Amino acid sequence: MKHKMVVMMGGQGAGKGTFSKMLMARGDYTYIETGAILRTAPADSDIGRMVARGELVPDNMLIKLMAEKINYCTGDIILDGFPRTQSQAQWLVEHYAGKWDIHIIYLDVPNEVLLHRINKRFHEGSCHRTDDSDTAIIQRRLNAFYTQTKPAIEWLHTAPGIKFATIDATGEPDTTLPHILDALN
Ligand code: AMP
């Protein structure tokens, strides 16, 4: 039987990190979170500047990074923050659908709820991400989601051999989690 590759997709604040952690508490997954990896780049590097501005880092850099991470994995994996563009999505399916059972979990949350959650995360969280602090940067990240990631999600929805679930993640995490678990079974 193939191992699972759970791909968390959704706008900033949709709950990708929250549900990844809930799944990890229930199973043995390798967790790969691209945003956290990219935020370790020095602030004065190209990647550091792009992340600070809320721009997507070029596909070739992400693909190289992900190949290095995924190729070491042999079990179940959760991807949080990848893919974010159609090229990244196509690369993932082309290279890994043969080896893993790919489950796309699209966390569908209205824009105004995403904005509210990002704002709350900044004010209540213990680590203040600079890219969560500035309205123009938040808007740029959400725009990247609507213009680049949404088309990738739509493409994945019709890609053969991929399991795809749209999950309404507007409510409380405990109410949403059973729907994600159902989709993965
Ligand atoms: P996140 O924590 O997932 O919101 O990601 C923070 C930032 O990392 C994003 O605003 C992008 O600058 C960069 N990033 C994360 N994942 C990707 C990706 N798959 N492709 C391009 N840039 C990414």
Side-chain angles (χ1 to χ4, degrees):
M1 211 178 81
K2 287 191 210 171
H3 285 286
K4 283 191 179 77
M5 180 182 275
V6 181
V7 182
M8 291 289 178
M9 299 190 77
Q12 288 73 12
K16 299 186 293 293
T18 301
F19 292 113
S20 297
K21 286 177 190 87
M22 290 172 115
L23 290 182
M24 283 190 283
R26 282 166 180 76
D28 188 13
Y29 289 97
T30 299
Y31 179 48
I32 305 176
E33 185 194 358
T34 54
I37 299 169
L38 295 170
R39 276 194 294 279
T40 62
D44 61 353
S45 64
D46 286 344
I47 291 181
R49 278 189 283 268
M50 286 184 264
V51 171
R53 286 197 295 259
E55 294 165 6
L56 290 186
V57 173
D59 288 333
N60 60 339
M61 290 190 191
L62 260 295
I63 285 172
K64 185 165 176 285
L65 173 90
M66 293 309 280
E68 282 164 9
K69 299 275 174 201
I70 298 172
N71 293 345
Y72 280 111
C73 297
T74 49
D76 295 338
I77 310 181
I78 299 177
L79 302 187
D80 170 351
F82 185 93
R84 263 184 156 113
T85 65
Q86 177 135 354
S87 318
Q88 294 178 14
Q90 283 171 332
W91 174 83
L92 189 76
V93 171
E94 201 175 301
H95 287 80
Y96 299 107
K99 184 164 175 198
W100 272 276
D101 242 341
I102 302 184
H103 290 259
I104 307 294
I105 302 292
Y106 168 41
L107 303 169
D108 190 14
V109 176
N111 189 56
E112 63 274 15
V113 178
L114 296 179
L115 282 170
H116 175 74
R117 287 186 187 165
I118 299 170
N119 198 28
K120 197 162 165 242
R121 174 163 83 187
F122 181 71
H123 287 100
E124 291 178 3
S126 51
C127 55
H128 295 292
R129 290 175 47 172
T130 47
D131 60 347
D132 272 353
S133 67
D134 181 300
T135 320
I137 297 173
I138 294 168
Q139 201 50 61
R140 192 175 300 139
R141 289 164 61 214
L142 283 172
N143 285 348
F145 172 71
Y146 290 114
T147 59
Q148 293 176 264
T149 310
K150 260 312 223 2
I153 292 173
E154 275 149 29
W155 180 81
L156 286 162
H157 197 176
T158 58
I162 302 299
K163 299 188 172 100
F164 188 103
T166 300
I167 306 286
D168 177 355
T170 315
E172 288 302 315
D174 285 338
T175 332
T176 306
L177 182 67
H179 300 291
I180 296 178
L181 295 174
D182 277 353
L184 295 177
N185 279 328

